[in-house]
Amino acid sequence: MDVFLQQLMNALQWGSFYALIAIGYSMVYGVLMLFNFAHGDIFMVGAYIGFFVSSGLLALNLGSVIGLSTGVELGLVLVLTLIISMLLNSIVGMGVERIGYRPLREAPRASAAITGLMIGIILETANLALLGPQRRSFPELIPTTTITIAGASVTNKKILIVIVSLVLALLVHQFVQRTKWGMAMRAMAYDYVVVPLMGISSDRIALMTFAIGSALAAAAGILFGIAYPVLDPNMGILFGWKAFVAAILGGRGSILGAALAGFLLGFIEIFVTMIFPSTMRNLIAFGIILIILTFRPHGFFGEPFSAQLRL
Amino acid sequence: MKTKKIFRLTLLLVIATLICTACGQAAQPTIKIGVNAPLTGDIPKVGEGSKFAAEMWLEEIGGELEVGGQTYPVELVIEDNESKAESAASVNQKLITQDEVLAIVGPQSSKQAVPAGGAANDGQTPMVSPWSTNPNTTLNRPWVFRTPFLDSFQGPAVAKFVTEEFGFTKAGVLYDIASDYPKGLADYFKQGWEDIHGEGSVVAFESFTTGDTDFSAQITKIKESGAEFFFTPQYYNEVALIVQQARELGFNQPIVGSDSWGSAELLNLCGEDCYGLFYSSHYLAENPTGEAKEFIEGYEEKYGYVPDDVGALTWDTMHIIERAINECGEITGDIEADRTCVRDALANIKNFEGVTGTMTFTEEGDPIKCALIIKIGDDGSKSVYEQTCPEE
């Protein structure tokens, strides 16, 4: 039983990252009918921004300047890092939209998807060229404490990661469901052609979608750095692909669907490893997803058909 | 009109080519040595160590070698293989056909060295890998050599050490199944462990694939299996993550590593989590004497850190190639004849005294060397804990 509980905790943490990144994929896919394949690399950029912001903040030595205890200082640094990095990364995301995707708004969707792949490669290689290939060690923002609950070891990091991810996912969901901007986004997802005629600027909605997705990716990047403190320029590639699978599994444009599918993917990966030889992890995990998609081709919360499929 | 222009241009090109070939022949042949290293990708620190050691060698010889009374300029052709198997093979092909190098140093990790060794053997160009320990790199390849020991020796040596040191009987293994080096070494370790403790004494044999960052599921399984320690033959960036996650999951038993842990970067990434652990290695920059001292101090002064395994092994590799070229006696300028000559000289090298030990190549092109067991101290210092040598 305690093994099960332990793996459950492992899966919750692992799924959190998929969930946060999948939401970004899903929003862009929903609103613009666009596979933003650069999203995994935007996550990578977010992690690096988080690395530099937190290192910078730590170097400022706020604790001794204002007179805070180490614990409070680290907490403050973490919160500031999250906020600043999310802002900066949303600017990166908007830049990608403006430079990479907007000129191709009317082009065939395949061209836009290819653009995404290219932007991804540009971000990776730019990072390599600017920062060099060596790994970065993410600063320790949370001193680890391990708690044992019913035989399962849980760290304070794990709990924080899961909670922050859930809160962010719910916030975005509320934003899309309750605000006027959110309504505009949903309208765009429903009908791409008519909505701009109603006085809604599609360019602005596109920018906003990218900004929110990239902010979430930055949060995921920082949490990732806290959990796995070795950053490298290619960290977003495989991770991005898997999160993309989660986004499709969740259903087009569905935020809760993407989050749910992200967690599900984490669970499948961890529990497959628990039951079968770990060699077969990806084989079985993605086999299961293939079966799910066979029976639910539109994902969990996807519409059976969309008014404007621009493929 | 247009055809005339094209014709003229072509003519010009042909003439230019002819002139250049002529001037190329007149010049003295340059000794070119290729370095095929992972300067980017998963293990950039390894590529950097090799590159630095090779450049230091070039500086030491002053950019030229005297062979048979004549001085030839020496040039290093350093290429990046991105730490990928297919890139390593194509880099070798480029070095062989385009740059026409006399010999190749690298690639470092077995994942690249195994396919690249095939390319070198087919291209009949001598290649010496300074770090690859997987037996397949040199197996049935007369043109391929190496300077480190073999995993078929290293795996059982670690198993023997853990048995004697801790008295454990149940082992766990965590390795990357998509990479030749960890996969091969994990198998040799398992064999060695089961030879001592019998079938089924490796209670957890868990794997992941290159690029994974979360090992929590596998480590939980290892912990649950009752393993008293686990062996993880991974590269420095993964070791940092594995050790940290094991501790967070409450696995407080020893974690043992292999020669891939011996990177200058390991403790920068792993920090205190790695203190007190053991791994097997080729060499340690501790109390060096003679030439080793010169190399270690020179390297540290130049690049700001103590050279790690791959740096020292590359240094030895460069000198072995230098010795082979010297023993050749002459550089004819006919690249095929020169390559054959260097290969034969390499195969005949006896008792080469290097920084990492004395080397004589076996028929397969592998040296017989001892392994060191290194302990990472509680203050982050490394020290030799034990030495194990292959039985004669």
Side-chain angles (χ1 to χ4, degrees):
Chain A
M1 189 59 207
D2 51 346
V3 187
F4 178 77
L5 197 66
Q6 180 73 66
Q7 297 288 29
L8 193 71
M9 297 309 298
N10 296 343
L12 271 176
Q13 168 176 315
W14 192 228
S16 302
F17 300 113
Y18 284 142
L20 282 181
I21 301 175
I23 291 173
Y25 263 119
S26 188
M27 283 174 71
V28 171
Y29 179 38
V31 173
L32 299 170
M33 273 320 276
L34 175 79
F35 299 124
N36 176 19
F37 282 122
H39 196 60
D41 296 291
I42 293 177
F43 154 74
M44 177 274 291
V45 172
Y48 271 82
I49 291 178
F51 165 77
F52 284 111
V53 170
S54 57
S55 306
L57 286 173
L58 285 175
L60 283 179
N61 224 345
L62 289 172
S64 52
V65 175
I66 324 175
L68 299 171
S69 67
T70 326
V72 180
E73 186 200 342
L74 284 178
L76 186 69
V77 169
L78 176 65
V79 172
L80 283 177
T81 304
L82 271 172
I83 294 170
I84 298 173
S85 311
M86 284 169 80
L87 281 175
L88 288 177
N89 209 37
S90 59
I91 296 173
V92 173
M94 289 193 281
V96 165
E97 199 281 328
R98 182 66 194 82
I99 299 165
Y101 291 118
R102 193 182 294 179
L104 291 164
R105 194 64 54 74
E106 298 309 319
R109 293 296 86 183
S111 307
I114 299 290
T115 310
L117 290 175
M118 287 186 286
I119 292 172
I121 293 170
I122 289 170
L123 289 176
E124 287 151 25
T125 41
N127 182 331
L128 264 178
L130 292 175
L131 301 175
Q134 74 272 36
R135 299 296 186 267
R136 303 278 165 171
S137 180
F138 203 87
E140 191 168 38
L141 296 180
I142 307 169
T144 315
T145 25
T146 311
I147 324 156
T148 313
I149 308 170
S153 297
V154 187
T155 56
N156 49 351
K157 291 178 187 172
K158 259 193 180 127
I159 297 169
L160 178 102
I161 287 165
V162 176
I163 290 175
V164 171
S165 310
L166 285 175
V167 167
L168 284 175
L170 281 174
L171 274 179
V172 174
H173 177 71
Q174 291 297 323
F175 175 81
V176 172
Q177 294 298 327
R178 303 267 158 124
T179 63
K180 248 186 189 155
W181 286 103
M183 193 197 272
M185 287 169 71
R186 281 182 289 139
M188 278 273 283
Y190 187 74
D191 195 323
Y192 189 88
V193 175
V194 176
V195 169
L197 300 178
M198 303 291 149
I200 295 170
S201 161
S202 59
D203 284 347
R204 222 181 272 174
I205 298 294
L207 280 180
M208 196 174 68
T209 312
F210 269 82
I212 296 173
S214 307
L216 285 186
I222 293 164
L223 296 177
F224 193 86
I226 289 171
Y228 313 104
V230 178
L231 305 185
D232 87 88
N234 295 330
M235 62 193 270
I237 302 175
L238 191 67
F239 212 68
W241 289 348
K242 289 188 179 175
F244 175 64
V245 170
I248 298 297
L249 198 61
R252 186 176 85 93
S254 166
I255 300 207
L256 285 188
L260 194 74
F263 280 108
L264 182 76
L265 186 59
F267 279 89
I268 293 176
E269 275 196 37
I270 298 277
F271 281 98
V272 162
T273 314
M274 181 180 137
I275 299 164
F276 301 98
S278 38
T279 320
M280 296 161 78
R281 178 177 180 155
N282 286 341
L283 181 74
I284 297 179
F286 288 91
I288 292 172
I289 287 165
L290 193 65
I291 293 169
I292 297 178
L293 278 179
T294 310
F295 289 103
R296 283 205 69 92
H298 298 282
F300 296 138
F301 297 102
E303 301 278 320
F305 68 88
S306 175
Q308 277 291 330
L309 267 181
R310 289 173 24 99
L311 277 170
Chain B
M1 192 58 199
K2 217 170 181 184
T3 37
K4 217 172 176 182
K5 224 176 187 174
I6 290 173
F7 176 73
R8 267 194 212 150
L9 265 174
T10 321
L11 202 70
L12 209 71
L13 265 175
V14 169
I15 294 168
T17 322
L18 282 174
I19 294 170
C20 259
T21 334
C23 68
Q25 271 167 355
Q28 203 173 20
T30 308
I31 298 176
K32 283 191 188 173
I33 295 175
V35 178
N36 183 347
L39 301 175
T40 63
D42 291 332
I43 44 171
K45 198 76 183 173
V46 170
E48 182 189 276
S50 253
K51 179 173 167 252
F52 283 171
E55 283 171 349
M56 238 183 99
W57 169 79
L58 187 69
E59 207 168 290
E60 188 201 53
I61 60 165
E64 52 189 30
L65 272 183
E66 204 188 293
V67 185
Q70 244 188 321
T71 322
Y72 298 91
V74 178
E75 193 188 311
L76 289 180
V77 187
I78 300 175
E79 293 281 340
D80 177 23
N81 62 34
E82 302 164 330
S83 188
K84 289 181 190 155
E86 59 278 11
S87 305
S90 62
V91 161
N92 259 10
Q93 247 136 24
K94 176 185 174 283
L95 289 172
I96 292 166
T97 53
Q98 200 177 321
D99 296 314
E100 302 205 317
V101 298
L102 185 57
I104 295 167
V105 175
Q108 283 66 17
S109 55
S110 300
K111 185 181 183 176
Q112 287 96 48
V114 174
N121 200 52
D122 294 342
Q124 305 208 319
T125 304
M127 168 182 133
V128 187
S129 169
W131 207 44
S132 166
T133 49
N134 189 305
N136 292 336
T137 304
T138 54
L139 194 65
N140 297 326
R141 289 171 179 167
W143 292 84
V144 184
F145 301 83
R146 81 174 87 219
T147 45
F149 49 64
L150 289 180
D151 287 339
S152 48
F153 159 66
Q154 179 176 204
V158 173
K160 195 169 142 244
F161 162 73
V162 174
T163 307
E164 286 168 3
E165 177 67 23
F166 298 107
F168 292 155
T169 53
K170 283 188 250 170
V173 180
L174 178 61
Y175 67 100
D176 178 357
I177 196 158
S179 183
D180 293 37
Y181 164 77
K183 167 86 180 69
L185 187 47
D187 287 338
Y188 283 115
F189 172 81
K190 186 171 183 232
Q191 244 173 46
W193 188 263
E194 290 188 335
D195 281 347
I196 305 174
H197 301 278
E199 201 74 18
S201 55
V202 174
V203 288
F205 199 63
E206 298 299 319
S207 66
F208 59 93
T209 46
T210 318
D212 280 359
T213 47
D214 183 275
F215 312 102
S216 57
Q218 289 93 328
I219 293 170
T220 304
K221 256 180 119 171
I222 291 174
K223 192 183 159 199
E224 243 10 78
S225 71
E228 291 162 295
F229 76 102
F230 74 82
F231 174 63
T232 186
Q234 291 307 131
Y235 298 109
Y236 58 86
N237 48 336
E238 291 148 338
V239 172
L241 293 173
I242 290 170
V243 174
Q244 189 200 358
Q245 285 174 36
R247 297 303 180 231
E248 284 179 3
L249 288 164
F251 185 88
N252 295 318
Q253 293 293 108
I255 297 167
V256 179
S258 57
D259 68 300
S260 54
W261 284 35
S263 166
E265 192 82 348
L266 178 74
L267 289 173
N268 294 344
L269 291 176
C270 190
E272 285 182 25
D273 288 326
C274 279
Y275 291 2
L277 300 184
F278 292 94
Y279 67 90
S280 55
S281 186
H282 307 275
Y283 117 115
L284 189 71
E286 184 199 51
N287 307 326
T289 51
E291 217 202 316
K293 189 177 159 138
E294 237 167 77
F295 161 66
I296 290 163
E297 281 174 1
Y299 188 103
E300 197 179 358
E301 193 181 315
K302 210 156 177 247
Y303 304 113
Y305 64 94
V306 176
D308 50 19
D309 291 29
V310 78
L313 286 164
T314 306
W315 177 257
D316 282 353
T317 305
M318 300 311 296
H319 282 90
I320 284 181
I321 288 177
E322 182 188 334
R323 157 106 66 108
I325 293 172
N326 273 326
E327 268 165 26
C328 237
E330 62 166 346
I331 297 294
T332 58
D334 173 7
I335 192 74
E336 277 172 27
D338 289 341
R339 282 173 179 168
T340 311
C341 180
V342 169
R343 191 218 82 86
D344 294 344
L346 275 172
N348 285 325
I349 279 183
K350 294 264 175 321
N351 297 323
F352 176 86
E353 293 278 347
V355 174
T356 61
T358 308
M359 286 169 256
T360 303
F361 290 118
T362 63
E363 222 158 90
E364 281 298 345
D366 307 321
I368 295 171
K369 290 168 86 173
C370 300
L372 305 174
I373 303 290
I374 309 280
K375 182 180 186 181
I376 305 171
D378 291 332
D379 53 351
S381 66
K382 295 173 182 173
S383 57
V384 176
Y385 193 78
E386 207 182 286
Q387 186 178 35
T388 46
C389 293
E391 286 152 29
E392 292 298 322

